[in-house]
Amino acid sequence: MAAERSQWKSCCARSLGNCPDDKYSESDGGAKPGRNPTEQSDLAISRVLVGCERTDTAHTPRPEATGSVCSDWRPGWFYRKTQKMSIQHESYKLQYFDVPGRAEHIRYIFAYAGVDFDDVRVSKDQWPELKKKTPFGKLPVLVIDGKDVPQSNAIARYLARQFGLTGKTEWDALQCDVLVDTLGDLQESVTKVMKEPDPIKREELRARVTKEELPFYLSKFEKIVKDNGGYSVGSDVTWSDLVLAVLLDQFEGMYGRAALNIYPSLKGLKERIHDVPNVKAYLEKRPPRSPLPRQ
Ligand SMILES: N[C@@H](CCC(=O)N[C@@H](CS)C(=O)NCC(=O)O)C(=O)O
């Protein structure tokens, strides 16, 4: 039941409000003082289920679906409307250091989906105490309704499923995982360069990554995104687009804004993601970087 509910939550979030066919407003159900959370969820869900439904989404249509299709779906709905749903379902506190590192894609997923989360940036001084309380002594940890969840990509994948960002089919979801893991391989090489303490070795590493690994991976990603008409998977935004946007942003930070000119599809994807109002708002309020605590 829980899985079914969350699936519907994502699906419905896309079509809630802003939809010309949606005859139901926020006040028809959902969060109200005096209602317990379960009642709120059920009311919220049943409200949207009878509202408007997309049939071209990643989500299996409910068996009793009436076939009511929203006449004017636009990507913008998704990130604007999930916020309301999330308030009625889960509370999120993301604990990580004040750097992009292994949490930036999680922050992008929240931002893109328009879901509120507590973006806790743990300082060097706070870390030793907090470390003892984390499940495996590492961050990020996402606290979901009071429960600690470690592992960045497990967290990101879970949220992507919750917010309908894993594509239309299981195959799409698999492709997202493949791309995210491949981006992780590239990220690891880039991180190695940044972490190398010996300046001579760092330059050697940097030269190798710049000349070999980055062009190897980026040209492949460029082709994939070009072939998919601007998306890394399928024909809609998925969490792998968001992970890619984070990495491309980092790439531009390292090599300058012109560096992406030879990868026009990747550049376009990154710019589109960064132009999404919720992502833009997150980027504008994102605090400046501070160093990672020593490990
Ligand atoms: N596989 C884990 C790795 C987590 C990890 O290595 N976290 C580092 C920061 S990127 C950390 O917590 N370092 C501090 C420490 O180990 O004390 C994930 O992806 O979440």
Side-chain angles (χ1 to χ4, degrees):
M1 181 57 196
E4 191 187 42
R5 178 172 295 174
S6 72
Q7 183 182 47
W8 286 117
K9 177 173 61 164
S10 308
C11 187
C12 297
R14 286 181 176 240
S15 54
L16 171 64
N18 258 33
C19 164
D21 304 337
D22 189 350
K23 299 176 184 61
Y24 297 82
S25 69
E26 275 306 286
S27 59
D28 290 323
K32 281 203 175 140
R35 279 186 185 152
N36 70 39
T38 316
E39 276 173 344
Q40 289 174 5
S41 306
D42 289 343
L43 283 164
I45 286 169
S46 59
R47 168 172 56 90
V48 199
L49 282 177
V50 291
C52 155
E53 181 164 352
R54 276 188 67 201
T55 55
D56 60 336
T57 66
H59 314 289
T60 317
R62 65 197 159 104
E64 72 278 26
T66 57
S68 153
V69 183
C70 172
S71 59
D72 184 30
W73 182 84
R74 292 186 306 278
W77 293 358
F78 177 66
Y79 54 80
R80 277 203 294 272
K81 294 303 166 189
T82 44
Q83 189 167 15
K84 287 170 187 160
M85 301 303 288
S86 79
I87 290 166
Q88 293 153 6
H89 291 262
E90 290 179 335
S91 75
Y92 302 108
K93 178 167 84 172
L94 178 63
Q95 297 172 314
Y96 193 60
F97 307 109
D98 192 9
V99 289
R102 292 182 194 263
E104 199 59 11
H105 59 314
I106 300 172
R107 297 180 182 128
Y108 270 50
I109 290 172
F110 278 124
Y112 181 82
V115 174
D116 273 340
F117 72 109
D118 196 2
D119 189 5
V120 176
R121 310 253 172 168
V122 177
S123 71
K124 260 181 177 176
D125 295 345
Q126 294 166 325
W127 177 230
E129 264 316 295
L130 179 64
K131 185 175 170 80
K132 294 179 209 156
K133 297 179 190 146
T134 61
F136 297 110
K138 304 260 182 208
L139 293 180
V141 166
L142 181 66
V143 187
I144 305 177
D145 285 344
K147 293 185 273 295
D148 284 359
V149 181
Q151 288 298 345
S152 56
N153 279 344
I155 294 168
R157 191 174 295 109
Y158 170 80
L159 294 175
R161 278 199 306 269
Q162 294 287 91
F163 306 153
L165 291 171
T166 54
K168 291 181 175 150
T169 60
E170 282 299 314
W171 182 258
D172 285 351
L174 172 65
Q175 297 312 308
C176 287
D177 288 346
V178 168
L179 284 183
V180 168
D181 284 353
T182 308
L183 287 164
D185 293 345
L186 178 56
Q187 180 79 55
E188 211 173 291
S189 305
V190 173
T191 307
K192 258 188 208 153
V193 176
M194 297 193 302
K195 283 192 173 166
E196 175 54 58
D198 180 328
I200 297 170
K201 278 193 193 151
R202 186 164 61 238
E203 271 323 295
E204 280 169 11
L205 265 180
R206 189 183 161 89
R208 205 194 65 219
V209 169
T210 307
K211 284 202 191 100
E212 294 169 24
E213 289 177 53
L214 273 165
F216 173 81
Y217 283 110
L218 291 183
S219 55
K220 285 183 186 290
F221 294 137
E222 169 70 16
K223 180 169 174 2
I224 292 169
V225 172
K226 188 173 179 213
D227 291 351
N228 279 333
Y231 302 98
S232 61
V233 173
S235 53
D236 207 345
V237 174
T238 55
W239 70 296
S240 60
D241 290 334
L242 302 179
V243 177
L244 194 47
V246 170
L247 189 121
L248 294 172
D249 190 42
Q250 194 180 2
F251 176 75
E252 281 189 334
M254 288 170 72
Y255 295 96
R257 297 222 50 179
L260 279 183
N261 289 350
I262 53 168
Y263 306 109
S265 304
L266 294 181
K267 191 180 165 84
L269 181 147
K270 193 218 112 180
E271 283 172 359
R272 266 186 294 113
I273 296 291
H274 278 207
D275 269 351
V276 170
N278 283 343
V279 176
K280 212 177 199 168
Y282 163 69
L283 294 174
E284 277 161 13
K285 69 166 201 236
R286 179 167 66 173
R289 297 185 59 150
S290 59
L292 264 179
R294 279 189 184 284
Q295 295 179 22

